[in-house]
Amino acid sequence: MVSTDPAIEAARRALAAWGEPETNTESAATALTAAREALAPIRKLHRKVGIFDSTDYCDDDTSEHESQHHFEAINGEMVCDHLPPYGWTCAECAEIASGDDDDPPAWPCDTAKLIYTTEELQ
C-alpha cells in the first residue's frame, strides 16, 4: 500500500499554487508546518477511541480502580477502559451519533481518512 500524508499533499498543492519548487526546503518546510497546524484542531476532534465493555464484565470492584477506569460512555452506559476494547470509533462522530440506537460509527470515519496518514489509520 502506498503511504499518503494529507499534510504533505496539501503542502505540495500550496507550493505549486505559489509557483515554488518543492526543492526549496525552507518554503516546503513552512508549507508542511502550516498544513499540519491547519489539520491539528480537526485531528483533535476526529480521533480514534476504543469501544469498551460494560463494567458488568469488570472483575475489579475496588474504588481506586473504579475511579481510574470506569466512566460513562456516550450512550450513558458505564464502561471500563481497563478491559480490552472490542472495537474502535471516532470520538467526534460517536458523539454526534450518540442519540442513535445504532452502534457507534466504525473507525476510520470519512473525515479521518482525509486528515491522517495511511499508517495512522491502521
Side-chain angles (χ1 to χ4, degrees):
M1 173 183 275
V2 175
S3 173
T4 60
D5 184 332
I8 290 174
E9 296 305 316
R12 285 183 177 147
R13 289 190 302 273
L15 288 171
W18 297 332
E20 285 283 331
E22 288 183 34
T23 55
N24 181 335
T25 55
E26 188 174 318
S27 293
T30 300
L32 181 57
T33 299
R36 291 207 190 287
E37 286 300 316
L39 292 176
I42 304 166
R43 288 171 61 113
K44 187 174 180 181
L45 294 173
H46 293 272
R47 65 190 188 286
K48 184 178 182 179
V49 294
I51 303 169
F52 297 99
D53 268 322
S54 164
T55 55
D56 295 342
Y57 297 100
C58 180
D59 294 333
D60 191 339
D61 61 357
T62 63
S63 59
E64 181 180 357
H65 172 82
E66 288 180 3
S67 68
Q68 292 177 357
H69 298 286
H70 292 190
F71 64 95
E72 187 175 344
I74 293 169
N75 65 2
E77 182 179 17
M78 290 302 292
V79 296
C80 177
D81 68 4
H82 201 250
L83 297 169
Y86 65 84
W88 300 97
T89 189
C90 167
E92 180 68 6
C93 294
E95 180 75 29
I96 292 168
S98 64
D100 298 345
D101 290 334
D102 298 330
D103 289 333
W107 176 263
C109 68
D110 290 340
T111 301
K113 292 174 186 175
L114 297 173
I115 61 175
Y116 288 98
T117 65
T118 51
E119 291 83 10
E120 290 173 310
L121 293 173
Q122 302 303 314

